[in-house]
């Protein structure tokens, strides 16, 4: 930026009063001319990350509930001298820029494209279900632990039964959560019912934990009259207003910025709650993810981003998606506190999400959790994953890294579970599911006119015309349409 310094003192004073850009310009002569070099600069600064608490100590910074934190990152400061820097004044300044400190250096050095040390992955239980020595985790009571395990088994059984139903032609589509049960249930257990969930399509366990019944799951998959979506959504596109669970949308990553907007609303209303959004590694390749991360960081919204890094975006491996050290490092780039967690370790997931929620709500900040796991099942019933990945790899993750088995071993070690309880649980859940399917399958379907409702208060004429044409077409070609759908 160039200035015509015909009246330099007035110009500088005017700028100083309006934008606080300069606090002092050193005089080089006894006249009113000023040197072009600045000895002291006043700029708004970003709070250095070094002053923030470590993730393992979420209580070290706290704010009163219902009150916003002070925006200290906009505090005015002066430039500082680097320690052990060269004596040249042009090389030893630390500039307080509006986005953080800028340290000047005479050395030309590019940032490496990859870190020398990769991000650690937080883990509490080893593969045998044993506590790792010196583990730092949030204690879980026997009651909560048994409920978590029961829900993990229920989710596993739910996937098995509905997958079989799809293969029998009884429902049109299904997506399993096999191998990701710990992420579903443990994260749900760490949240409260007031927290608003924006799922992708592989988080039915969160609904299960919150009280969605097996009959409600069956009603949605069969699209009957009891389905809250009135049969207008594909199977597994669940939603529950009562349980603060937004309806699933197939479009990838669109729920992520929605979650940030909801979180900002919770902050403005001073609610003791946060928003939580789930997505896969493929979702981080969408622009919605990056826009949402930046949006959340700048607005300091209480939102938890949970990325299920399961290795595959349908048939695309993570190696073909990005070159960064996973997902967690992306949070740091946007100024979002982040952690990488073993997604197959239910105790680690519970601890990480519980701590993340405390920070998000009490400190009004976004948190990114990268849950490292593996999609053991096919992407969906429309996919055959053995076409693009080896079957023995899938089998190894199914047997050696199963999150349900690992957590069972831990509760058995604690004396909270046994083989008799295991047998009764699995038998009971399967029986309940088969009964729910029979009821859902026999239930009446929603009428055709439901396709045109719930968007407009008064249905416009063009939709009325479409409804009329559809009904006429069904009457002319009844064999081409389901006979059990009321016209």
């Amino acid at each position: 930026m160039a200035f015509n310094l015909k009246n330099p003192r007035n110009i500088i004073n005017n700028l100083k009063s309006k934008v606080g850009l300069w606090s002092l310009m050193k005089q080089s002569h006894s006249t009113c001319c000023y040197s072009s070099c600045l000895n002291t600069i006043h700029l708004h600064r970003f709070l250095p990350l070094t002053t923030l608490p470590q993730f393992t100590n979420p209580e070290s910074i706290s704010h009163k509930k219902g009150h916003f934190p002070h925006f200290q990152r906009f505090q005015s400061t002066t430039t500082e001298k680097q320690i052990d820097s060269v004596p040249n004044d042009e090389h030893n300044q630390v500039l307080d820029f509006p986005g953080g400190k800028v340290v000047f250096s005479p050395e030309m050095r590019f940032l490496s494209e990859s870190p020398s040390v990769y991000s650690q992955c937080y883990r509490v239980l080893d593969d045998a279900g044993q506590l790792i020595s010196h583990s730092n985790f949030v204690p879980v009571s026997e009651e909560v632990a048994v409920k978590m395990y029961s829900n993990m088994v229920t989710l596993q059984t739910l996937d098995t039964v509905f997958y079989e139903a799809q293969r029998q032609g009884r429902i049109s589509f299904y997506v399993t959560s096999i191998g990701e049960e710990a992420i579903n249930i443990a994260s749900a257990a760490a949240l409260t019912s007031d927290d608003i969930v924006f799922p992708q399509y592989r988080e039915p366990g969160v609904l299960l934990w919150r009280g969605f019944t097996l009959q409600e799951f069956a009603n949605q998959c069969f699209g009957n009259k009891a389905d809250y979506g009135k049969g207008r959504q594909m199977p597994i596109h669940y939603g529950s207003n009562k349980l603060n669970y937004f309806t699933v949308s197939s479009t990838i990553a669109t729920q992520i910025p929605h979650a940030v907007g909801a979180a900002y609303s919770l902050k403005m209303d001073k609610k003791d709650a946060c928003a939580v959004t789930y997505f896969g590694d493929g979702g981080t390749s969408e622009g919605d993810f990056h826009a949402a991360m930046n949006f959340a960081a700048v607005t300091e919204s209480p939102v938890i981003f949970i990325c299920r890094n399961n290795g595959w975006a349908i048939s695309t491996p993570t190696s073909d998606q990005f070159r960064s050290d996973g997902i967690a490092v992306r949070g740091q780039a946007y100024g979002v506190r982040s952690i990488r967690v073993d997604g197959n370790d239910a105790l680690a997931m519970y601890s990480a999400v519980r701590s993340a929620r405390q920070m998000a709500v009490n400190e009004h900040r976004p948190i990114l959790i990268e849950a490292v796991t593996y999609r053991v099942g096919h992407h969906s019933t429309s996919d055959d994953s053995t076409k693009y990945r080896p079957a023995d790899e899938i089998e190894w993750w199914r047997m050696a890294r199963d999150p349900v088995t690992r957590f069972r071993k831990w509760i058995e070690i604690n004396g909270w579970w046994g083989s008799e309880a295991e047998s009764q649980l699995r038998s009971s859940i399967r029986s309940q599911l088969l009964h729910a399917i029979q009821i859902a399958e026999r239930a009446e379907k929603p009428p055709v006119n439901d396709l045109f409702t719930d968007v407009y208060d008064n249905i416009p004429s063009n939709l009325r015309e479409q409804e009329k044409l559809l009904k006429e077409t069904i009457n002319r070609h009844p064999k081409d349409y389901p006979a059990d759908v009321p016209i």
Side-chain angles (χ1 to χ4, degrees), residues 340-372:
R340 176 180 284 173
V341 183
D342 182 351
N344 288 25
D345 181 349
L347 207 52
M349 278 300 302
Y350 176 84
S351 300
V353 176
R354 189 69 176 266
S355 299
R357 186 192 181 276
Q358 183 178 0
M359 288 185 286
V361 174
N362 293 344
E363 303 174 23
H364 295 104
R365 68 165 68 248
I367 304 291
L368 170 62
I369 297 175
E370 176 189 1
V372 180

mmCIF file of all heavy atoms in Angstrom, residues 340-372:
data_model
loop_
_atom_site.group_PDB
_atom_site.id
_atom_site.type_symbol
_atom_site.label_atom_id
_atom_site.label_comp_id
_atom_site.label_asym_id
_atom_site.label_seq_id
_atom_site.Cartn_x
_atom_site.Cartn_y
_atom_site.Cartn_z
ATOM 1 N N ARG A 340 -6.686 -38.089 17.537
ATOM 2 C CA ARG A 340 -6.876 -39.346 16.799
ATOM 3 C C ARG A 340 -7.096 -40.456 17.820
ATOM 4 O O ARG A 340 -6.338 -40.574 18.790
ATOM 5 C CB ARG A 340 -5.637 -39.646 15.945
ATOM 6 C CG ARG A 340 -5.699 -40.981 15.223
ATOM 7 C CD ARG A 340 -4.452 -41.213 14.399
ATOM 8 N NE ARG A 340 -4.474 -40.414 13.182
ATOM 9 C CZ ARG A 340 -3.445 -40.319 12.332
ATOM 10 N NH1 ARG A 340 -2.308 -40.950 12.595
ATOM 11 N NH2 ARG A 340 -3.554 -39.600 11.245
ATOM 12 N N VAL A 341 -8.134 -41.250 17.596
ATOM 13 C CA VAL A 341 -8.539 -42.267 18.566
ATOM 14 C C VAL A 341 -8.678 -43.619 17.875
ATOM 15 O O VAL A 341 -9.072 -43.691 16.707
ATOM 16 C CB VAL A 341 -9.884 -41.883 19.234
ATOM 17 C CG1 VAL A 341 -10.276 -42.890 20.302
ATOM 18 C CG2 VAL A 341 -9.820 -40.485 19.828
ATOM 19 N N ASP A 342 -8.383 -44.677 18.605
ATOM 20 C CA ASP A 342 -8.635 -46.026 18.111
ATOM 21 C C ASP A 342 -10.144 -46.230 18.117
ATOM 22 O O ASP A 342 -10.763 -46.418 19.169
ATOM 23 C CB ASP A 342 -7.944 -47.048 19.023
ATOM 24 C CG ASP A 342 -8.122 -48.481 18.541
ATOM 25 O OD1 ASP A 342 -8.920 -48.714 17.607
ATOM 26 O OD2 ASP A 342 -7.466 -49.387 19.111
ATOM 27 N N GLY A 343 -10.754 -46.200 16.952
ATOM 28 C CA GLY A 343 -12.200 -46.320 16.851
ATOM 29 C C GLY A 343 -12.742 -47.687 17.190
ATOM 30 O O GLY A 343 -13.958 -47.856 17.328
ATOM 31 N N ASN A 344 -11.870 -48.687 17.353
ATOM 32 C CA ASN A 344 -12.305 -50.030 17.736
ATOM 33 C C ASN A 344 -12.170 -50.258 19.234
ATOM 34 O O ASN A 344 -12.397 -51.364 19.717
ATOM 35 C CB ASN A 344 -11.508 -51.086 16.968
ATOM 36 C CG ASN A 344 -11.913 -51.151 15.509
ATOM 37 O OD1 ASN A 344 -12.414 -50.178 14.948
ATOM 38 N ND2 ASN A 344 -11.710 -52.295 14.887
ATOM 39 N N ASP A 345 -11.796 -49.216 19.959
ATOM 40 C CA ASP A 345 -11.641 -49.263 21.410
ATOM 41 C C ASP A 345 -12.779 -48.440 22.020
ATOM 42 O O ASP A 345 -12.742 -47.211 22.028
ATOM 43 C CB ASP A 345 -10.280 -48.687 21.798
ATOM 44 C CG ASP A 345 -10.018 -48.727 23.298
ATOM 45 O OD1 ASP A 345 -10.957 -48.999 24.065
ATOM 46 O OD2 ASP A 345 -8.871 -48.450 23.704
ATOM 47 N N ALA A 346 -13.808 -49.129 22.519
ATOM 48 C CA ALA A 346 -14.985 -48.432 23.039
ATOM 49 C C ALA A 346 -14.648 -47.532 24.224
ATOM 50 O O ALA A 346 -15.209 -46.443 24.366
ATOM 51 C CB ALA A 346 -16.054 -49.456 23.447
ATOM 52 N N LEU A 347 -13.731 -47.968 25.067
ATOM 53 C CA LEU A 347 -13.367 -47.172 26.240
ATOM 54 C C LEU A 347 -12.629 -45.900 25.834
ATOM 55 O O LEU A 347 -12.844 -44.835 26.424
ATOM 56 C CB LEU A 347 -12.505 -48.015 27.185
ATOM 57 C CG LEU A 347 -12.549 -47.664 28.678
ATOM 58 C CD1 LEU A 347 -13.972 -47.606 29.186
ATOM 59 C CD2 LEU A 347 -11.721 -48.665 29.469
ATOM 60 N N ALA A 348 -11.777 -45.995 24.830
ATOM 61 C CA ALA A 348 -11.060 -44.817 24.339
ATOM 62 C C ALA A 348 -12.022 -43.847 23.668
ATOM 63 O O ALA A 348 -11.933 -42.617 23.858
ATOM 64 C CB ALA A 348 -9.959 -45.239 23.367
ATOM 65 N N MET A 349 -12.951 -44.374 22.878
ATOM 66 C CA MET A 349 -13.930 -43.515 22.213
ATOM 67 C C MET A 349 -14.813 -42.801 23.233
ATOM 68 O O MET A 349 -15.086 -41.602 23.112
ATOM 69 C CB MET A 349 -14.807 -44.333 21.260
ATOM 70 C CG MET A 349 -14.211 -44.605 19.899
ATOM 71 S SD MET A 349 -13.825 -43.102 18.949
ATOM 72 C CE MET A 349 -15.420 -42.284 18.872
ATOM 73 N N TYR A 350 -15.258 -43.530 24.232
ATOM 74 C CA TYR A 350 -16.092 -42.922 25.271
ATOM 75 C C TYR A 350 -15.342 -41.793 25.978
ATOM 76 O O TYR A 350 -15.883 -40.697 26.179
ATOM 77 C CB TYR A 350 -16.509 -43.987 26.280
ATOM 78 C CG TYR A 350 -17.303 -43.446 27.451
ATOM 79 C CD1 TYR A 350 -18.680 -43.259 27.354
ATOM 80 C CD2 TYR A 350 -16.678 -43.124 28.654
ATOM 81 C CE1 TYR A 350 -19.417 -42.756 28.418
ATOM 82 C CE2 TYR A 350 -17.396 -42.625 29.730
ATOM 83 C CZ TYR A 350 -18.773 -42.440 29.607
ATOM 84 O OH TYR A 350 -19.479 -41.933 30.662
ATOM 85 N N SER A 351 -14.105 -42.047 26.335
ATOM 86 C CA SER A 351 -13.306 -41.045 27.051
ATOM 87 C C SER A 351 -13.049 -39.812 26.197
ATOM 88 O O SER A 351 -13.154 -38.675 26.672
ATOM 89 C CB SER A 351 -11.972 -41.660 27.494
ATOM 90 O OG SER A 351 -12.183 -42.766 28.352
ATOM 91 N N ALA A 352 -12.714 -40.028 24.935
ATOM 92 C CA ALA A 352 -12.401 -38.910 24.050
ATOM 93 C C ALA A 352 -13.631 -38.043 23.792
ATOM 94 O O ALA A 352 -13.560 -36.809 23.842
ATOM 95 C CB ALA A 352 -11.835 -39.434 22.728
ATOM 96 N N VAL A 353 -14.767 -38.676 23.531
ATOM 97 C CA VAL A 353 -15.987 -37.910 23.241
ATOM 98 C C VAL A 353 -16.486 -37.211 24.503
ATOM 99 O O VAL A 353 -16.946 -36.062 24.444
ATOM 100 C CB VAL A 353 -17.080 -38.819 22.648
ATOM 101 C CG1 VAL A 353 -18.380 -38.046 22.449
ATOM 102 C CG2 VAL A 353 -16.612 -39.414 21.321
ATOM 103 N N ARG A 354 -16.380 -37.872 25.646
ATOM 104 C CA ARG A 354 -16.813 -37.246 26.907
ATOM 105 C C ARG A 354 -15.972 -36.000 27.196
ATOM 106 O O ARG A 354 -16.507 -34.947 27.584
ATOM 107 C CB ARG A 354 -16.680 -38.265 28.041
ATOM 108 C CG ARG A 354 -17.301 -37.835 29.359
ATOM 109 C CD ARG A 354 -18.810 -37.797 29.285
ATOM 110 N NE ARG A 354 -19.397 -37.466 30.563
ATOM 111 C CZ ARG A 354 -19.804 -38.375 31.447
ATOM 112 N NH1 ARG A 354 -19.686 -39.666 31.174
ATOM 113 N NH2 ARG A 354 -20.348 -38.009 32.578
ATOM 114 N N SER A 355 -14.671 -36.110 27.007
ATOM 115 C CA SER A 355 -13.786 -34.961 27.228
ATOM 116 C C SER A 355 -14.026 -33.876 26.185
ATOM 117 O O SER A 355 -14.012 -32.685 26.501
ATOM 118 C CB SER A 355 -12.321 -35.410 27.188
ATOM 119 O OG SER A 355 -12.052 -36.359 28.198
ATOM 120 N N ALA A 356 -14.252 -34.300 24.936
ATOM 121 C CA ALA A 356 -14.517 -33.338 23.864
ATOM 122 C C ALA A 356 -15.792 -32.562 24.133
ATOM 123 O O ALA A 356 -15.862 -31.345 23.897
ATOM 124 C CB ALA A 356 -14.611 -34.069 22.525
ATOM 125 N N ARG A 357 -16.804 -33.251 24.618
ATOM 126 C CA ARG A 357 -18.061 -32.564 24.906
ATOM 127 C C ARG A 357 -17.877 -31.531 26.013
ATOM 128 O O ARG A 357 -18.420 -30.429 25.963
ATOM 129 C CB ARG A 357 -19.142 -33.573 25.328
ATOM 130 C CG ARG A 357 -20.492 -32.907 25.496
ATOM 131 C CD ARG A 357 -21.539 -33.761 26.186
ATOM 132 N NE ARG A 357 -22.783 -33.004 26.249
ATOM 133 C CZ ARG A 357 -23.062 -32.110 27.194
ATOM 134 N NH1 ARG A 357 -22.195 -31.865 28.164
ATOM 135 N NH2 ARG A 357 -24.217 -31.446 27.163
ATOM 136 N N GLN A 358 -17.117 -31.880 27.032
ATOM 137 C CA GLN A 358 -16.870 -30.948 28.136
ATOM 138 C C GLN A 358 -16.186 -29.682 27.628
ATOM 139 O O GLN A 358 -16.559 -28.567 27.995
ATOM 140 C CB GLN A 358 -16.007 -31.626 29.204
ATOM 141 C CG GLN A 358 -15.752 -30.753 30.427
ATOM 142 C CD GLN A 358 -14.930 -31.465 31.481
ATOM 143 O OE1 GLN A 358 -14.548 -32.617 31.296
ATOM 144 N NE2 GLN A 358 -14.633 -30.790 32.562
ATOM 145 N N MET A 359 -15.200 -29.850 26.769
ATOM 146 C CA MET A 359 -14.504 -28.691 26.220
ATOM 147 C C MET A 359 -15.407 -27.886 25.295
ATOM 148 O O MET A 359 -15.401 -26.656 25.323
ATOM 149 C CB MET A 359 -13.245 -29.150 25.481
ATOM 150 C CG MET A 359 -12.146 -29.628 26.389
ATOM 151 S SD MET A 359 -10.624 -30.024 25.500
ATOM 152 C CE MET A 359 -11.072 -31.549 24.722
ATOM 153 N N ALA A 360 -16.169 -28.577 24.453
ATOM 154 C CA ALA A 360 -17.034 -27.889 23.490
ATOM 155 C C ALA A 360 -18.074 -27.032 24.194
ATOM 156 O O ALA A 360 -18.309 -25.874 23.822
ATOM 157 C CB ALA A 360 -17.715 -28.908 22.577
ATOM 158 N N VAL A 361 -18.698 -27.582 25.227
ATOM 159 C CA VAL A 361 -19.772 -26.871 25.921
ATOM 160 C C VAL A 361 -19.232 -25.801 26.861
ATOM 161 O O VAL A 361 -19.722 -24.672 26.881
ATOM 162 C CB VAL A 361 -20.662 -27.876 26.689
ATOM 163 C CG1 VAL A 361 -21.692 -27.138 27.535
ATOM 164 C CG2 VAL A 361 -21.353 -28.825 25.719
ATOM 165 N N ASN A 362 -18.225 -26.147 27.658
ATOM 166 C CA ASN A 362 -17.718 -25.206 28.665
ATOM 167 C C ASN A 362 -16.842 -24.107 28.089
ATOM 168 O O ASN A 362 -16.811 -22.988 28.610
ATOM 169 C CB ASN A 362 -16.928 -25.958 29.739
ATOM 170 C CG ASN A 362 -17.814 -26.873 30.565
ATOM 171 O OD1 ASN A 362 -19.036 -26.739 30.548
ATOM 172 N ND2 ASN A 362 -17.209 -27.796 31.279
ATOM 173 N N GLU A 363 -16.127 -24.417 27.016
ATOM 174 C CA GLU A 363 -15.190 -23.444 26.455
ATOM 175 C C GLU A 363 -15.657 -22.852 25.142
ATOM 176 O O GLU A 363 -14.970 -21.996 24.574
ATOM 177 C CB GLU A 363 -13.818 -24.111 26.263
ATOM 178 C CG GLU A 363 -13.234 -24.697 27.535
ATOM 179 C CD GLU A 363 -11.957 -25.478 27.274
ATOM 180 O OE1 GLU A 363 -11.291 -25.210 26.245
ATOM 181 O OE2 GLU A 363 -11.623 -26.363 28.077
ATOM 182 N N HIS A 364 -16.811 -23.305 24.650
ATOM 183 C CA HIS A 364 -17.325 -22.850 23.359
ATOM 184 C C HIS A 364 -16.255 -22.977 22.275
ATOM 185 O O HIS A 364 -15.766 -21.988 21.735
ATOM 186 C CB HIS A 364 -17.819 -21.404 23.451
ATOM 187 C CG HIS A 364 -18.993 -21.239 24.349
ATOM 188 N ND1 HIS A 364 -18.871 -20.710 25.606
ATOM 189 C CD2 HIS A 364 -20.298 -21.573 24.184
ATOM 190 C CE1 HIS A 364 -20.073 -20.698 26.182
ATOM 191 N NE2 HIS A 364 -20.957 -21.221 25.348
ATOM 192 N N ARG A 365 -15.931 -24.224 21.966
ATOM 193 C CA ARG A 365 -14.925 -24.487 20.940
ATOM 194 C C ARG A 365 -15.274 -25.747 20.163
ATOM 195 O O ARG A 365 -15.903 -26.659 20.702
ATOM 196 C CB ARG A 365 -13.535 -24.634 21.554
ATOM 197 C CG ARG A 365 -13.350 -25.870 22.402
ATOM 198 C CD ARG A 365 -11.871 -26.159 22.681
ATOM 199 N NE ARG A 365 -11.280 -25.157 23.530
ATOM 200 C CZ ARG A 365 -10.347 -24.295 23.095
ATOM 201 N NH1 ARG A 365 -9.967 -24.324 21.838
ATOM 202 N NH2 ARG A 365 -9.811 -23.424 23.910
ATOM 203 N N PRO A 366 -14.900 -25.812 18.890
ATOM 204 C CA PRO A 366 -15.091 -27.043 18.123
ATOM 205 C C PRO A 366 -13.987 -28.052 18.424
ATOM 206 O O PRO A 366 -12.861 -27.665 18.763
ATOM 207 C CB PRO A 366 -15.011 -26.558 16.676
ATOM 208 C CG PRO A 366 -14.116 -25.353 16.736
ATOM 209 C CD PRO A 366 -14.360 -24.710 18.074
ATOM 210 N N ILE A 367 -14.315 -29.318 18.305
ATOM 211 C CA ILE A 367 -13.356 -30.407 18.513
ATOM 212 C C ILE A 367 -13.482 -31.392 17.350
ATOM 213 O O ILE A 367 -14.594 -31.745 16.944
ATOM 214 C CB ILE A 367 -13.617 -31.160 19.833
ATOM 215 C CG1 ILE A 367 -13.615 -30.208 21.038
ATOM 216 C CG2 ILE A 367 -12.582 -32.266 20.025
ATOM 217 C CD1 ILE A 367 -12.276 -29.614 21.382
ATOM 218 N N LEU A 368 -12.356 -31.833 16.826
ATOM 219 C CA LEU A 368 -12.341 -32.850 15.773
ATOM 220 C C LEU A 368 -11.783 -34.153 16.329
ATOM 221 O O LEU A 368 -10.696 -34.170 16.909
ATOM 222 C CB LEU A 368 -11.489 -32.386 14.591
ATOM 223 C CG LEU A 368 -11.186 -33.435 13.498
ATOM 224 C CD1 LEU A 368 -12.467 -33.918 12.830
ATOM 225 C CD2 LEU A 368 -10.216 -32.871 12.461
ATOM 226 N N ILE A 369 -12.539 -35.237 16.158
ATOM 227 C CA ILE A 369 -12.098 -36.571 16.577
ATOM 228 C C ILE A 369 -11.987 -37.452 15.337
ATOM 229 O O ILE A 369 -12.970 -37.654 14.622
ATOM 230 C CB ILE A 369 -13.079 -37.204 17.580
ATOM 231 C CG1 ILE A 369 -13.142 -36.365 18.868
ATOM 232 C CG2 ILE A 369 -12.678 -38.642 17.891
ATOM 233 C CD1 ILE A 369 -14.172 -36.860 19.864
ATOM 234 N N GLU A 370 -10.795 -37.947 15.099
ATOM 235 C CA GLU A 370 -10.595 -38.909 14.014
ATOM 236 C C GLU A 370 -10.592 -40.313 14.624
ATOM 237 O O GLU A 370 -9.681 -40.662 15.377
ATOM 238 C CB GLU A 370 -9.272 -38.661 13.298
ATOM 239 C CG GLU A 370 -8.964 -39.698 12.222
ATOM 240 C CD GLU A 370 -7.544 -39.582 11.659
ATOM 241 O OE1 GLU A 370 -6.780 -38.712 12.120
ATOM 242 O OE2 GLU A 370 -7.215 -40.379 10.752
ATOM 243 N N ALA A 371 -11.621 -41.083 14.340
ATOM 244 C CA ALA A 371 -11.736 -42.437 14.858
ATOM 245 C C ALA A 371 -11.218 -43.420 13.807
ATOM 246 O O ALA A 371 -11.847 -43.615 12.767
ATOM 247 C CB ALA A 371 -13.183 -42.746 15.219
ATOM 248 N N VAL A 372 -10.088 -44.007 14.077
ATOM 249 C CA VAL A 372 -9.459 -44.928 13.128
ATOM 250 C C VAL A 372 -10.084 -46.314 13.280
ATOM 251 O O VAL A 372 -10.034 -46.921 14.352
ATOM 252 C CB VAL A 372 -7.940 -44.999 13.361
ATOM 253 C CG1 VAL A 372 -7.290 -45.962 12.358
ATOM 254 C CG2 VAL A 372 -7.314 -43.616 13.235
#
